[in-house]
Amino acid sequence: MEKRVTVLAGDGIGKEVTDAAVVVLEAVAKKYGHTFHFDHQLVGGAAVDAKNNPLPEETGASCEASDAILLGAVGGPKWDNNPPALRAEQGLLLLRKQFDLFANLRPVKAVSTLIQSSPLKEDIAKDVDMMIVRELTGGVYFGTPSLYNDEEAVDTMPYSRKEIERIVDKAFEIAMKRNKRITSVDKANVLATSRLWRQIVDEKKAQYPEVEVRHQLVDSVAMSIITSPKDFDVILTENMFGDILSDEASVITGSLGLLPSASIRSDGFGMYEPVHGTAPEIAGQNIANPAAAILSAAMMLTYSFDMLEEAKAIEDAVYGTFEDGHFTGDLTKDNPLGTKEWTEKVLQRLQA
């Protein structure tokens, strides 16, 4: 099979971790007889510096011509005081909107050999395996009108039936392939959009009688993720709540460097990126953890390319490398491996 991938390294450690993911994808292609064409383009702060645009036209054109996007990370203090249109993060928001990447998938899975890195007690953190399904292109982040001045500020939180229905359908589809349990998160006791959300979830529930559905208010879920995270299978939620809850859930694993994500649309096209940020303070030092970027590449094989065997091979190689006792510096102070050296261990397992 032949596929084209636009690689957007972005800023900070983005180049190092996407380089690692590309090397792993090349090894997979060689092992399974595929051809991946990689086109490297600018986005975020790097694009602002080079093109005065967080999403240059040529970057968008490359993405349009590709089968998927592999993203590193965008942003950093260097661009924080720029005008809104020239903020590095604007490139990410524009990509989501331009390509209608409405479904954000964030798996949170505890790794047995890394439980000691979790801030939670071992009996709480072990065996956690949840998927957060977050609506990504609607809600307060994209609402108009908005207003800001020295005296008042206004944000608008719109949601249409169509926007809610398609993310709810995606969550049910994913739940059917997992343990058939959905926790739908809202604030229906306060927000009109949440009441519509809850109504549509109940309507869709009738189409999936095998799936157990419970409604839970966002503040209650925020507590439960820390006190009883094993209770969750699929968490379904709107944009802002999903942003907050997925970052909260990420601490369960002990490192943001372990968590991949996918942002996809209905036809399978998607953008795949690690959950972590740009970490400019360690950029270029060969100490960043590339696991999340590599696992994001595995999600790309699953959700955009339907290469399930190849994706599992990557996941097995990553988790097997941890089981072998090989860690980067964010996970151990005892002889940590560098980014390239840890990636080489993954390659050795993949090629075995």
Side-chain angles (χ1 to χ4, degrees), residues 8 46 49 65 103 122 124 201 213 258 285 302 329:
L8 307 178
D49 290 348
E122 181 176 345
I124 294 175
V201 170
V213 178
L258 302 180
Q285 299 178 39
T302 297

Side-chain angles (χ1 to χ4, degrees), residues 85-154:
L86 293 178
R87 293 283 299 272
E89 293 82 3
Q90 188 66 16
L92 182 57
L93 294 176
L94 289 170
L95 279 168
R96 291 173 180 171
K97 202 67 175 179
Q98 177 177 340
F99 293 96
D100 198 23
L101 304 174
F102 70 90
N104 182 237
L105 313 180
R106 288 191 177 188
V108 179
K109 184 176 181 179
V111 180
S112 59
T113 53
L114 295 174
I115 289 297
Q116 72 279 2
S117 299
S118 174
L120 302 184
K121 294 179 180 179
E122 181 176 345
D123 62 326
I124 294 175
K126 70 177 181 180
D127 301 324
V128 169
D129 184 359
M130 71 177 78
M131 175 71 80
I132 299 176
V133 181
R134 166 191 171 193
E135 201 289 323
L136 199 59
T137 57
V140 70
Y141 292 168
F142 294 95
T144 55
S146 61
L147 170 70
Y148 172 79
N149 60 44
D150 290 341
E151 301 299 325
E152 63 178 331
V154 175

Side-chain angles (χ1 to χ4, degrees), residues 217-277:
L217 298 178
V218 62
D219 40 356
S220 172
V221 172
M223 291 186 289
S224 298
I225 282 177
I226 296 302
T227 59
S228 51
K230 285 187 285 240
D231 287 350
F232 296 104
D233 180 25
V234 174
I235 294 178
L236 164 65
T237 189
E238 62 86 51
N239 204 344
M240 183 174 67
F241 296 160
D243 191 3
I244 296 167
L245 292 176
S246 58
D247 281 355
E248 181 195 15
S250 70
V251 306
I252 295 171
T253 64
S255 174
L256 281 173
L258 302 180
L259 298 178
S261 76
S263 301
I264 59 177
R265 65 188 187 200
S266 298
D267 64 357
F269 180 88
M271 179 168 66
Y272 299 86
E273 58 178 308
V275 169
H276 62 66

Side-chain angles (χ1 to χ4, degrees), residues 179-192:
N179 295 316
K180 300 180 181 179
R181 291 186 291 114
I182 289 178
T183 302
S184 179
V185 181
D186 59 41
K187 193 66 175 171
N189 58 337
V190 176
L191 299 175

Side-chain angles (χ1 to χ4, degrees), residues 138-203:
V140 70
Y141 292 168
F142 294 95
T144 55
S146 61
L147 170 70
Y148 172 79
N149 60 44
D150 290 341
E151 301 299 325
E152 63 178 331
V154 175
D155 289 302
T156 309
M157 188 177 183
Y159 264 112
S160 68
R161 170 171 284 273
K162 178 182 177 182
E163 288 175 315
I164 298 172
E165 283 184 337
R166 64 183 184 176
I167 191 66
V168 171
D169 277 330
K170 180 60 66 176
F172 274 104
E173 290 169 9
I174 290 171
M176 287 293 291
K177 298 176 182 178
R178 291 173 54 91
N179 295 316
K180 300 180 181 179
R181 291 186 291 114
I182 289 178
T183 302
S184 179
V185 181
D186 59 41
K187 193 66 175 171
N189 58 337
V190 176
L191 299 175
T193 50
S194 283
R195 289 192 285 275
L196 178 61
W197 182 282
R198 187 173 288 206
Q199 174 187 330
I200 292 172
V201 170
D202 283 338
E203 292 171 1

